[in-house]
Amino acid sequence: MTEIPKAYDPGQVEPGRYKAWLDAGAFTARPIEGRESYCIVIPPPNVTGVLTIGHVLNITIQDILVRRARIQGKEAMWLPGTDHASIATHARVEAQLRTEGTSRRDLGREKFIDRTWEWSRDHGGKILGQLRRLGASCDWDRTVFTMDDDYNRSVLTAFVKLYQRGYIYRGKRMVNWCPVSLTALSDEEVIMKPQQGLLYKMRYELVDQPGQYLEISTTRPETLMGDTAVAVHPKDERYSRLIGGKIWRPFPKEQLPIIADDAVDREFGTGVLKVTPAHDKLDFEIGRRHDLPIVDILNPDGTLNALAGEDFDGMERFAAREFAVKKLEEMGLLVDQEPYENNVGYSQRADVPIEPRLSDQWWMRYPKVEEAKTVVRDGLVRFWPKRWEKTYQHWLENLQDWCISRQLWWGQRIPVWYKKNCDRTDPANWHVSVDGPDDPENWEQEEDVLDTWASSWLWPFATMGWPEPNENQKRDLDFFYPTSDLVTGPDIIFFWVARMIIAGLEFMGDEKETLTKEEMAERIPFHNVYFTGIIRDEQGRKISKSLGNSPEPLDLIDKFGADGLRFGIMNIAPKGQDIRFSEERITIGRNFCNKLWNACRFRQMSGPLADNSSLQAVVSRLDPQKFDEYDHWIIARLIQTVRDVDQAFSTYEFNQLTQILHGFFWGDFCNWYVEVSKTKLQSDTSRDNCLALQDLVIRQVLQMLYPIIPHITEELWSNLGYNPKGGFIHETPVDTPKTLVKALRDTGIVIDASAVEHIEQLMELVTQARSLKSNYNLASKRDVNFYITADPKNLTFIKSQSETIKRLTGAAAIIPRDDALPEAPAAVVALGTLYLDLASSIDVDAEKIRLSKELAKLEKAIATGESKLEDKKFISQAPEHVVKGARDLLAATRAKKEEIERIIDSLG
RNA sequence: GGACGGCUAGCUCAGUUGGUUAGAGCAUCCGGUUUACACCCGGAAGGUCGGCGGUUCGAGUCCGCCGCCGUCCACCA
């Protein structure tokens, strides 16, 4: 046993405690027969990332869940790792190369990849190290990187299997092209942003009727050189006679057909649409229906090419827009331009408008879509909060094929080889396998790599050795899969959560077209998904680097301690809502740790420690014969708190959790029980029982707090001798409400409900007494007397508690009286009427005003109660206990009112 | 355009299946070194629960409409 220092200093405690856990292998999980398993796989942070406040939230929740599972006696495994983040890492390495005056093309594929490996090794350890400072109890020996050799093989195997099963194909289709990253993107990587632009109205001349024009509206005049038709709605009478005719494209000057297509909206603009099949998704579809030529006037980087005409060749796309408008104007073809807001797709990563572009890509049709809907609808996979299920189902119902190829180098290179000098579009010339062809000299491998999400969607099982697990991994998969909880943000429901569910259903078992419910249950990757809120700043803005409003987590840890930060952030994170972050609101965590520390310190100062080695040991030190009302009350509150905490854990209500524990420990235990203890500890007869009770409360509270604030609770658990044979706190299973109640009952302790009620009444009396003193500026005086009138039963109780009442109120004496004390401030409470004895005269008028205010309140309550009870419908239709409650309340309120009226009278 | 979420004290949030006089923390104000803790203790003030209707004996809670704020989805150029 060591003495506890005066103020809690997390810096002195946290690193040592964390190291001790690591040294003892406390986070190592092994499949153990007959033991309940618990597993979380971490959402792998980007390998080049640094810890953000968002991670703090996410990691804290996961650590709470894992540690709670561990202290419940489950075999708990938290699997850590990082993601290679293909496009993001690419962008950062390329940016670095630019500062060196070189580029990835100059470097070549191999050297670029070497360089990127170097980069990720330099940065990769960083974020994992930061997680340790937060106290993350990951099983670090299992750390996985999505570019590890084994993981690569998993990704390639998944590709090959899906290819063989007919879900993967290569095709020339419209893709979202990022002109900065120079790669195709999936639909999910495109963000629609409203854009202030211009809507141009221009006119094209009819070939057959020179001097006659058709007016066309567009927001993108720079693509007109790629137009290969204009289209109208087939039923649009304004234009029906022109269908089948021709029109002049002004430059490069060419005749275009006028066609009819249902997709044209008659209401929009003039109802005439210019059709650019190479650069617009809708136009591409129209072009396909009408067999229109496709003229691609854009280079991959978004500049125009020679097909746009000599004067546009090489021009940047937005410069080309201005230039095209200028040309139209000069030719007298620009009719109008007006401000216009429309939605433009942006590349999520590069933050520039994407170009719809026709190109050869690899696509995936999703397998097991129906099953993916079923498992969530039927609760095999539960979402918290539930409302995200709707978002998930909606996405699955409107699924588009997934573009999985990226024109990048960092990532899993697509395992397809093309026969040299042969037609790449013909699958007969393809070789698809994990290891490649036996005669590599005759083949060329596909240049593209896979979308990062096409590797991370395998995370829950590829991290455990799928598809070729060794003996240990096989046991892991059997034991830990399906995993228990997934904790992530709702922004990646589509990117990651939905796809992991699909991948699990497809791969975690033999190839099957459809699955039974039992098979689904075995294959799902996790049972619960907890969606965190998104952290915002005090003004409700998103946290972002450019706004400079991102809190620095490591500074916060220095300031508040990891435990303080953890408690604080849990306290301010409402379930399913975005979180307003402010540093000030984190102080509650630090303050709470300090309170906990000092309460334990006070316990240590109050008397020698006795046997605390187990729940039974502590409980057996209690002496039911010596229980007073306070003891009953605190035990009742403790049991209720254990129940509430249980409930909060099982419904993932983490802010609730901190509030329950904060309220009980600080509000009930410290402010009332410990204060009362100060009297009890002076008496030899009550001391030991009181200390045992404190030990019990502290013990149970430490257990419940451990998942949230593990370092400090571990330290105190050890300092107060709760650890039999030096074990960690989590090695003693946390008591359930049942085990706690049973242990108490076995010792002969049964909660006396009337004692609990008495204490609540006593607390009211004390509060009112303090209030009276404070109202007369006597709060700090110790020589004040109180008088009380009460019925004999209550008086006996009050007398028995007079010492603690005196201590809690700071009064000199509490003196029974038979009648009212004239001209004295008074308060009516459940136990009687309390009078503040004032040696000097009081401000009678002020006191009258105060009491009148209270009287008004009571009269209002009486009026409400009376009208309710006079209502026959209420009497006949409301449940009996509600009616009785209303009657009792009315009676009590009337009595109180009469008493206050008497006091007012006595004031003269 | 559709869907979802939020609107309760100055701020951030609780308010279970409708049922006593709507709560907490922070901030504010007043008073305090009492046998742990000033990262503390005691007290006070502060709300027509976004608006309007409806159901009901009874609505912060259920229903309808409206208003802001936010998020997601959507091929009107």
Side-chain angles (χ1 to χ4, degrees):
Chain A
M1 186 190 79
T2 51
E3 197 192 323
I4 305 181
K6 176 167 174 154
Y8 177 56
D9 179 3
Q12 290 294 313
V13 170
E14 291 177 352
R17 284 293 160 190
Y18 195 81
K19 185 169 181 302
W21 290 324
L22 283 186
D23 291 348
F27 308 149
T28 307
R30 293 177 202 82
I32 292 169
E33 192 86 31
R35 201 135 178 225
E36 194 177 342
S37 81
Y38 181 87
C39 181
I40 293 184
V41 290
I42 204 170
N46 288 359
V47 65
T48 58
V50 289
L51 192 70
T52 65
I53 193 71
H55 290 120
V56 171
L57 173 70
N58 185 277
I59 293 298
T60 300
I61 291 173
Q62 291 175 70
D63 199 42
I64 288 174
L65 291 169
V66 171
R67 287 184 189 265
R68 172 77 176 177
R70 216 172 268 134
I71 201 174
Q72 283 177 324
K74 297 176 190 169
E75 189 63 21
M77 194 260 271
W78 185 10
L79 196 151
T82 48
D83 191 301
H84 67 283
S86 175
I87 193 166
T89 310
H90 233 271
R92 298 189 61 179
V93 175
E94 286 191 281
Q96 198 190 34
L97 291 177
R98 263 199 302 282
T99 66
E100 298 167 12
T102 175
S103 74
R104 71 160 152 140
R105 306 276 164 199
D106 293 340
L107 225 57
R109 184 165 192 139
E110 216 165 296
K111 279 194 178 151
F112 177 81
I113 291 174
D114 287 347
R115 185 65 188 265
T116 310
W117 267 109
E118 209 177 290
W119 174 281
S120 35
R121 278 193 205 100
D122 288 351
H123 293 77
K126 206 168 167 185
I127 190 157
L128 299 181
Q130 293 173 324
L131 299 187
R132 291 183 176 90
R133 284 210 54 198
L134 237 197
S137 62
C138 299
D139 190 347
W140 297 107
D141 294 335
R142 293 173 184 267
T143 306
V144 175
F145 178 38
T146 54
M147 286 286 280
D148 287 345
D149 288 343
D150 288 353
Y151 201 95
N152 278 340
R153 283 190 75 81
S154 311
V155 176
L156 301 183
T157 303
F159 181 97
V160 171
K161 281 182 189 278
L162 287 174
Y163 176 76
Q164 288 165 349
R165 296 173 190 180
Y167 289 106
I168 286 180
Y169 60 93
R170 187 174 186 263
K172 193 169 195 141
R173 295 180 32 183
M174 269 303 185
V175 296
N176 309 297
W177 183 263
C178 174
V180 169
S181 309
L182 300 179
T183 178
L185 302 173
S186 67
D187 294 341
E188 285 73 22
E189 287 165 288
V190 177
I191 310 170
M192 300 307 286
K193 288 194 188 180
Q195 198 73 11
Q196 288 300 335
L198 293 168
L199 183 64
Y200 303 90
K201 201 191 279 178
M202 56 192 186
R203 54 182 198 168
Y204 284 8
E205 191 173 18
L206 295 166
V207 171
D208 297 337
Q209 303 171 54
Q212 296 288 308
Y213 297 87
L214 256 190
E215 291 187 343
I216 303 167
S217 294
T218 183
T219 54
R220 299 204 62 190
E222 74 278 16
T223 62
L224 76 87
M225 297 80 81
D227 290 357
T228 54
V230 299
V232 297
H233 194 275
K235 289 188 185 138
D236 193 334
E237 286 166 9
R238 290 173 295 178
Y239 305 114
S240 48
R241 63 195 169 79
L242 297 175
I243 296 167
K246 298 209 154 151
I247 201 166
W248 284 109
R249 183 179 70 195
F251 47 89
K253 189 159 182 175
E254 197 169 313
Q255 296 186 4
L256 306 180
I258 301 168
I259 60 172
D261 196 286
D262 287 335
V264 178
D265 180 355
R266 275 175 281 186
E267 308 299 315
F268 188 86
T270 59
V272 184
L273 171 71
K274 69 193 257 314
V275 184
T276 325
H279 300 299
D280 185 279
K281 262 188 180 170
L282 177 66
D283 292 7
F284 178 73
E285 295 303 324
I286 294 174
R288 249 212 320 223
R289 287 198 279 272
H290 297 269
D291 213 14
L292 296 174
I294 294 166
V295 180
D296 186 343
I297 60 163
L298 284 173
N299 293 315
D301 65 356
T303 59
L304 280 74
N305 62 29
L307 291 176
E310 244 176 68
D311 43 354
F312 283 96
D313 193 6
M315 195 179 276
E316 196 271 330
R317 53 187 167 150
F318 296 107
R321 178 176 300 175
E322 285 177 31
F323 186 57
V325 170
K326 199 171 141 234
K327 279 188 77 164
L328 287 168
E329 209 168 4
E330 283 167 6
M331 295 168 82
L333 299 177
L334 186 69
V335 179
D336 190 23
Q337 57 183 49
E338 56 185 51
Y340 185 69
E341 189 185 281
N342 64 339
N343 282 320
V344 176
Y346 271 64
S347 158
Q348 184 197 38
R349 188 56 58 181
D351 200 32
V352 292
I354 55 108
E355 279 302 332
R357 182 163 185 256
L358 195 61
S359 68
D360 275 312
Q361 302 289 345
W362 287 92
W363 302 85
M364 183 198 297
R365 185 165 60 84
Y366 288 93
K368 301 289 179 293
V369 175
E370 282 313 308
E371 285 84 349
K373 290 183 205 165
T374 304
V375 295
V376 170
R377 191 192 53 224
D378 293 357
L380 296 175
V381 177
R382 299 174 74 185
F383 283 11
W384 305 82
K386 197 172 166 41
R387 65 187 154 85
W388 293 112
E389 289 179 5
K390 203 160 181 173
T391 308
Y392 169 89
Q393 299 290 7
H394 183 260
W395 184 76
L396 283 172
E397 275 153 24
N398 296 281
L399 263 186
Q400 304 288 314
D401 288 354
W402 179 7
C403 177
I404 52 173
S405 47
R406 295 289 177 276
Q407 287 65 57
L408 303 169
W409 291 343
W410 176 242
Q412 284 88 17
R413 190 164 172 177
I414 292 179
V416 173
W417 283 259
Y418 305 102
K419 204 174 276 175
K420 273 185 186 167
N421 307 315
C422 290
D423 178 11
R424 284 192 168 199
T425 60
D426 182 1
N429 297 323
W430 299 353
H431 171 96
V432 181
S433 74
V434 173
D435 296 308
D438 294 332
D439 52 341
E441 62 280 5
N442 297 321
W443 302 82
E444 292 166 325
Q445 191 179 356
E446 167 65 57
E447 298 291 319
D448 292 353
V449 301
L450 287 167
D451 179 5
T452 302
W453 299 103
S455 68
S456 47
W457 74 323
L458 310 172
W459 188 249
F461 45 89
T463 47
M464 294 189 217
W466 182 89
E468 292 149 349
N470 60 32
E471 282 308 305
N472 283 336
Q473 290 171 322
K474 213 173 262 169
R475 275 194 291 273
D476 278 354
L477 277 170
D478 283 347
F479 190 75
F480 291 116
Y481 193 94
T483 68
S484 314
D485 297 335
L486 180 79
V487 178
T488 190
D491 49 332
I492 52 175
I493 289 185
F494 313 138
F495 278 115
W496 199 46
V497 178
R499 286 169 176 166
M500 278 193 288
I501 292 173
I502 291 172
L505 292 167
E506 176 66 13
F507 294 120
M508 289 309 285
D510 297 334
E511 178 179 2
K512 284 194 85 178
E513 197 56 39
T514 55
L515 302 176
T516 65
K517 203 77 176 282
E518 290 69 31
E519 287 164 333
M520 291 183 219
E522 286 168 10
R523 293 181 180 213
I524 49 169
F526 27 70
H527 294 294
N528 295 286
V529 184
Y530 178 83
F531 291 106
T532 65
I534 293 178
I535 305 236
R536 298 173 172 282
D537 69 6
E538 282 169 84
Q539 288 125 56
R541 301 174 304 178
K542 268 192 179 167
I543 300 288
S544 79
K545 262 189 197 150
S546 54
L547 278 173
N549 60 354
S550 34
E552 178 45 67
L554 296 183
D555 291 350
L556 294 172
I557 291 174
D558 288 340
K559 220 163 165 175
F560 302 113
D563 287 337
L565 177 58
R566 292 163 63 114
F567 189 96
I569 199 149
M570 285 303 97
N571 190 246
I572 65 172
K575 55 175 173 181
Q577 292 302 119
D578 288 355
I579 295 134
R580 298 281 184 112
F581 183 87
S582 85
E583 201 174 302
E584 202 179 79
R585 299 180 63 202
I586 298 299
T587 56
I588 188 173
R590 180 198 55 179
N591 295 356
F592 183 73
C593 289
N594 189 60
K595 187 71 176 179
L596 181 64
W597 188 260
N598 273 289
C600 293
R601 181 165 156 260
F602 179 68
R603 159 62 189 95
Q604 215 177 26
M605 292 162 61
S606 301
L609 292 179
D611 188 359
N612 271 341
S613 61
S614 69
L615 178 64
Q616 279 64 34
V618 180
V619 168
S620 68
R621 288 169 41 216
L622 296 173
D623 184 352
Q625 303 304 313
K626 292 189 176 145
F627 263 44
D628 66 6
E629 286 87 348
Y630 275 104
D631 298 333
H632 280 283
W633 170 77
I634 196 67
I635 293 268
R637 287 290 302 122
L638 174 66
I639 291 169
Q640 188 55 48
T641 301
V642 175
R643 290 201 175 112
D644 292 346
V645 162
D646 235 36
Q647 170 73 15
F649 267 116
S650 60
T651 51
Y652 301 88
E653 292 179 79
F654 301 104
N655 67 329
Q656 213 38 29
L657 197 57
T658 58
Q659 279 160 27
I660 293 162
L661 286 161
H662 184 275
F664 171 69
F665 188 74
W666 200 314
D668 293 336
F669 183 66
C670 292
N671 290 351
W672 289 97
Y673 193 78
V674 172
E675 288 309 314
V676 171
S677 298
K678 287 174 182 173
T679 308
K680 299 209 234 184
L681 291 172
Q682 287 173 339
S683 146
D684 287 339
T685 50
S686 56
R687 186 186 302 116
D688 287 349
N689 180 60
C690 179
L691 288 177
L693 246 167
Q694 287 193 13
D695 287 348
L696 176 67
V697 171
I698 291 171
R699 182 182 186 276
Q700 305 315 114
V701 164
L702 289 179
Q703 283 191 326
M704 291 186 279
L705 284 169
Y706 165 72
I708 310 168
I709 45 173
H711 309 86
I712 186 175
T713 47
E714 183 76 80
E715 179 84 4
L716 293 169
W717 186 263
S718 147
N719 286 354
L720 293 174
Y722 291 118
N723 51 347
K725 301 168 225 143
F728 292 118
I729 179 168
H730 69 259
E731 289 170 9
T732 304
V734 62
D735 295 299
T736 63
K738 260 189 192 161
T739 57
L740 178 61
V741 169
K742 183 174 185 304
L744 290 165
R745 203 184 303 124
D746 290 350
T747 316
I749 295 161
V750 179
I751 300 306
D752 176 355
S754 73
V756 172
E757 197 191 336
H758 272 138
I759 292 303
E760 273 155 13
Q761 292 172 343
L762 196 65
M763 286 163 76
E764 185 201 10
L765 185 148
V766 168
T767 303
Q768 288 298 317
R770 285 167 171 170
S771 178
L772 283 173
K773 277 183 73 183
S774 191
N775 285 341
Y776 289 90
N777 289 326
L778 299 170
S780 53
K781 296 248 184 188
R782 308 255 155 252
D783 56 358
V784 180
N785 288 335
F786 280 105
Y787 292 89
I788 184 131
T789 57
D791 68 43
K793 213 177 94 226
N794 288 338
L795 214 50
T796 312
F797 173 59
I798 291 164
K799 273 184 190 158
S800 76
Q801 294 296 325
S802 67
E803 280 312 304
T804 55
I805 293 172
K806 273 156 55 181
R807 168 179 289 280
L808 293 174
T809 58
I814 177 141
I815 304 159
R817 272 181 75 95
D818 294 331
D819 54 350
L821 183 69
E823 300 204 347
V828 181
V829 296
L831 288 173
T833 303
L834 194 65
Y835 300 87
L836 175 62
D837 178 29
L838 289 169
S840 57
S841 66
I842 58 154
D843 182 342
V844 173
D845 290 337
E847 182 63 7
K848 270 186 179 167
I849 288 168
R850 187 181 71 84
L851 289 169
S852 306
K853 261 168 95 179
E854 172 140 22
L855 199 61
K857 249 183 176 170
L858 293 171
E859 277 165 351
K860 200 180 143 204
I862 288 167
T864 311
E866 280 175 344
S867 69
K868 203 185 266 183
L869 287 163
E870 280 160 14
D871 188 337
K872 286 189 185 107
K873 283 184 182 167
F874 174 71
I875 305 284
S876 59
Q877 291 181 39
E880 206 174 317
H881 74 273
V882 174
V883 178
K884 183 178 182 300
R887 281 210 181 96
D888 292 351
L889 180 72
L890 182 60
T893 313
R894 276 178 175 150
K896 198 164 172 180
K897 182 194 156 212
E898 282 163 22
E899 181 69 14
I900 289 196
E901 280 168 342
R902 248 197 308 280
I903 295 167
I904 292 176
D905 283 347
S906 80
L907 287 172

